[in-house]
PDB file of all heavy atoms in Angstrom:
ATOM      1  N   MET A   1       0.848  -1.192   0.000  1.00 54.00           N
ATOM      2  CA  MET A   1       0.000   0.000   0.000  1.00 54.00           C
ATOM      3  C   MET A   1       0.885   1.244   0.000  1.00 54.00           C
ATOM      4  O   MET A   1       1.771   1.381   0.843  1.00 54.00           O
ATOM      5  CB  MET A   1      -0.907   0.004   1.236  1.00 54.00           C
ATOM      6  CG  MET A   1      -1.856   1.186   1.292  1.00 54.00           C
ATOM      7  SD  MET A   1      -2.967   1.069   2.721  1.00 54.00           S
ATOM      8  CE  MET A   1      -3.924   2.560   2.475  1.00 54.00           C
ATOM      9  N   PRO A   2       0.703   2.171  -0.960  1.00 66.00           N
ATOM     10  CA  PRO A   2       1.571   3.345  -1.027  1.00 66.00           C
ATOM     11  C   PRO A   2       1.378   4.273   0.160  1.00 66.00           C
ATOM     12  O   PRO A   2       0.301   4.361   0.742  1.00 66.00           O
ATOM     13  CB  PRO A   2       1.128   4.019  -2.334  1.00 66.00           C
ATOM     14  CG  PRO A   2      -0.275   3.548  -2.555  1.00 66.00           C
ATOM     15  CD  PRO A   2      -0.315   2.151  -2.023  1.00 66.00           C
ATOM     16  N   ILE A   3       2.454   4.961   0.511  1.00 77.00           N
ATOM     17  CA  ILE A   3       2.397   5.948   1.584  1.00 77.00           C
ATOM     18  C   ILE A   3       1.777   7.221   1.028  1.00 77.00           C
ATOM     19  O   ILE A   3       2.137   7.682  -0.052  1.00 77.00           O
ATOM     20  CB  ILE A   3       3.808   6.236   2.127  1.00 77.00           C
ATOM     21  CG1 ILE A   3       4.430   4.960   2.686  1.00 77.00           C
ATOM     22  CG2 ILE A   3       3.776   7.313   3.193  1.00 77.00           C
ATOM     23  CD1 ILE A   3       5.867   5.127   3.113  1.00 77.00           C
ATOM     24  N   ARG A   4       0.851   7.810   1.780  1.00 86.00           N
ATOM     25  CA  ARG A   4       0.196   9.032   1.318  1.00 86.00           C
ATOM     26  C   ARG A   4       0.263  10.096   2.401  1.00 86.00           C
ATOM     27  O   ARG A   4      -0.159   9.863   3.541  1.00 86.00           O
ATOM     28  CB  ARG A   4      -1.261   8.753   0.950  1.00 86.00           C
ATOM     29  CG  ARG A   4      -1.982   9.948   0.328  1.00 86.00           C
ATOM     30  CD  ARG A   4      -3.365   9.539  -0.144  1.00 86.00           C
ATOM     31  NE  ARG A   4      -4.258   9.285   0.968  1.00 86.00           N
ATOM     32  CZ  ARG A   4      -5.008  10.229   1.557  1.00 86.00           C
ATOM     33  NH1 ARG A   4      -4.943  11.488   1.137  1.00 86.00           N
ATOM     34  NH2 ARG A   4      -5.807   9.915   2.554  1.00 86.00           N
ATOM     35  N   ALA A   5       0.809  11.248   2.050  1.00 91.00           N
ATOM     36  CA  ALA A   5       0.852  12.372   2.984  1.00 91.00           C
ATOM     37  C   ALA A   5      -0.491  13.089   2.948  1.00 91.00           C
ATOM     38  O   ALA A   5      -1.048  13.340   1.880  1.00 91.00           O
ATOM     39  CB  ALA A   5       1.967  13.331   2.614  1.00 91.00           C
ATOM     40  N   THR A   6      -1.012  13.418   4.117  1.00 91.00           N
ATOM     41  CA  THR A   6      -2.294  14.116   4.198  1.00 91.00           C
ATOM     42  C   THR A   6      -2.137  15.580   4.594  1.00 91.00           C
ATOM     43  O   THR A   6      -3.062  16.370   4.410  1.00 91.00           O
ATOM     44  CB  THR A   6      -3.216  13.420   5.208  1.00 91.00           C
ATOM     45  OG1 THR A   6      -2.558  13.357   6.486  1.00 91.00           O
ATOM     46  CG2 THR A   6      -3.543  12.007   4.745  1.00 91.00           C
ATOM     47  N   ALA A   7      -0.981  15.963   5.122  1.00 93.00           N
ATOM     48  CA  ALA A   7      -0.745  17.360   5.499  1.00 93.00           C
ATOM     49  C   ALA A   7       0.739  17.566   5.758  1.00 93.00           C
ATOM     50  O   ALA A   7       1.452  16.639   6.165  1.00 93.00           O
ATOM     51  CB  ALA A   7      -1.549  17.742   6.738  1.00 93.00           C
ATOM     52  N   LEU A  36      -3.178  19.725  -1.174  1.00 90.00           N
ATOM     53  CA  LEU A  36      -2.529  19.199   0.023  1.00 90.00           C
ATOM     54  C   LEU A  36      -2.437  20.316   1.059  1.00 90.00           C
ATOM     55  O   LEU A  36      -1.863  21.372   0.776  1.00 90.00           O
ATOM     56  CB  LEU A  36      -1.121  18.695  -0.316  1.00 90.00           C
ATOM     57  CG  LEU A  36      -0.277  18.227   0.868  1.00 90.00           C
ATOM     58  CD1 LEU A  36      -0.801  16.897   1.397  1.00 90.00           C
ATOM     59  CD2 LEU A  36       1.192  18.099   0.448  1.00 90.00           C
ATOM     60  N   VAL A  69       5.346  15.850   8.772  1.00 96.00           N
ATOM     61  CA  VAL A  69       4.517  15.215   7.752  1.00 96.00           C
ATOM     62  C   VAL A  69       3.472  14.343   8.432  1.00 96.00           C
ATOM     63  O   VAL A  69       3.808  13.494   9.266  1.00 96.00           O
ATOM     64  CB  VAL A  69       5.365  14.342   6.801  1.00 96.00           C
ATOM     65  CG1 VAL A  69       4.492  13.744   5.702  1.00 96.00           C
ATOM     66  CG2 VAL A  69       6.516  15.144   6.215  1.00 96.00           C
ATOM     67  N   GLU A  70       2.213  14.573   8.083  1.00 93.00           N
ATOM     68  CA  GLU A  70       1.136  13.702   8.546  1.00 93.00           C
ATOM     69  C   GLU A  70       0.851  12.687   7.446  1.00 93.00           C
ATOM     70  O   GLU A  70       0.573  13.056   6.305  1.00 93.00           O
ATOM     71  CB  GLU A  70      -0.126  14.509   8.851  1.00 93.00           C
ATOM     72  CG  GLU A  70       0.012  15.473  10.014  1.00 93.00           C
ATOM     73  CD  GLU A  70      -1.294  16.184  10.330  1.00 93.00           C
ATOM     74  OE1 GLU A  70      -2.361  15.686   9.892  1.00 93.00           O
ATOM     75  OE2 GLU A  70      -1.255  17.231  11.000  1.00 93.00           O
ATOM     76  N   LEU A  71       0.938  11.412   7.799  1.00 90.00           N
ATOM     77  CA  LEU A  71       0.696  10.343   6.839  1.00 90.00           C
ATOM     78  C   LEU A  71      -0.666   9.713   7.078  1.00 90.00           C
ATOM     79  O   LEU A  71      -1.157   9.664   8.211  1.00 90.00           O
ATOM     80  CB  LEU A  71       1.782   9.268   6.949  1.00 90.00           C
ATOM     81  CG  LEU A  71       3.212   9.715   6.652  1.00 90.00           C
ATOM     82  CD1 LEU A  71       4.177   8.568   6.892  1.00 90.00           C
ATOM     83  CD2 LEU A  71       3.330  10.219   5.224  1.00 90.00           C
ATOM     84  N   ASP A  72      -1.262   9.241   6.003  1.00 83.00           N
ATOM     85  CA  ASP A  72      -2.558   8.587   6.097  1.00 83.00           C
ATOM     86  C   ASP A  72      -2.443   7.343   6.968  1.00 83.00           C
ATOM     87  O   ASP A  72      -1.548   6.516   6.787  1.00 83.00           O
ATOM     88  CB  ASP A  72      -3.042   8.200   4.696  1.00 83.00           C
ATOM     89  CG  ASP A  72      -4.425   7.567   4.733  1.00 83.00           C
ATOM     90  OD1 ASP A  72      -5.166   7.835   5.696  1.00 83.00           O
ATOM     91  OD2 ASP A  72      -4.757   6.817   3.798  1.00 83.00           O
ATOM     92  N   ALA A  73      -3.333   7.244   7.915  1.00 68.00           N
ATOM     93  CA  ALA A  73      -3.355   6.072   8.796  1.00 68.00           C
ATOM     94  C   ALA A  73      -4.798   5.605   8.912  1.00 68.00           C
ATOM     95  O   ALA A  73      -5.437   5.723   9.959  1.00 68.00           O
ATOM     96  CB  ALA A  73      -2.777   6.414  10.158  1.00 68.00           C
ATOM     97  N   SER A  74      -5.323   5.103   7.811  1.00 66.00           N
ATOM     98  CA  SER A  74      -6.735   4.732   7.766  1.00 66.00           C
ATOM     99  C   SER A  74      -7.077   3.615   8.741  1.00 66.00           C
ATOM    100  O   SER A  74      -8.230   3.466   9.150  1.00 66.00           O
ATOM    101  CB  SER A  74      -7.116   4.309   6.343  1.00 66.00           C
ATOM    102  OG  SER A  74      -6.259   3.279   5.892  1.00 66.00           O
ATOM    103  N   THR A  80      -0.090   9.023  11.373  1.00 88.00           N
ATOM    104  CA  THR A  80       1.319   8.786  11.634  1.00 88.00           C
ATOM    105  C   THR A  80       2.088  10.073  11.358  1.00 88.00           C
ATOM    106  O   THR A  80       1.875  10.723  10.334  1.00 88.00           O
ATOM    107  CB  THR A  80       1.844   7.657  10.734  1.00 88.00           C
ATOM    108  OG1 THR A  80       1.122   6.456  11.028  1.00 88.00           O
ATOM    109  CG2 THR A  80       3.332   7.425  10.962  1.00 88.00           C
ATOM    110  N   LEU A  97       7.587  11.120  -1.359  1.00 94.00           N
ATOM    111  CA  LEU A  97       6.150  11.151  -1.083  1.00 94.00           C
ATOM    112  C   LEU A  97       5.323  11.588  -2.284  1.00 94.00           C
ATOM    113  O   LEU A  97       4.159  11.201  -2.411  1.00 94.00           O
ATOM    114  CB  LEU A  97       5.870  12.094   0.093  1.00 94.00           C
ATOM    115  CG  LEU A  97       6.300  11.608   1.474  1.00 94.00           C
ATOM    116  CD1 LEU A  97       6.242  12.751   2.480  1.00 94.00           C
ATOM    117  CD2 LEU A  97       5.412  10.446   1.934  1.00 94.00           C
ATOM    118  N   PHE A  98       5.929  12.391  -3.164  1.00 94.00           N
ATOM    119  CA  PHE A  98       5.172  12.951  -4.283  1.00 94.00           C
ATOM    120  C   PHE A  98       5.882  12.675  -5.609  1.00 94.00           C
ATOM    121  O   PHE A  98       6.310  13.599  -6.306  1.00 94.00           O
ATOM    122  CB  PHE A  98       4.972  14.457  -4.077  1.00 94.00           C
ATOM    123  CG  PHE A  98       4.360  14.807  -2.751  1.00 94.00           C
ATOM    124  CD1 PHE A  98       5.150  15.291  -1.715  1.00 94.00           C
ATOM    125  CD2 PHE A  98       3.008  14.613  -2.522  1.00 94.00           C
ATOM    126  CE1 PHE A  98       4.598  15.593  -0.479  1.00 94.00           C
ATOM    127  CE2 PHE A  98       2.438  14.913  -1.292  1.00 94.00           C
ATOM    128  CZ  PHE A  98       3.233  15.399  -0.264  1.00 94.00           C
TER     129      PHE A  98
END
Side-chain angles (χ1 to χ4, degrees):
M1 182 176 181
I3 300 174
R4 186 174 71 88
T6 57
L36 175 72
V69 183
E70 294 184 18
L71 298 176
D72 183 24
S74 55
T80 299
L97 288 168
F98 306 102

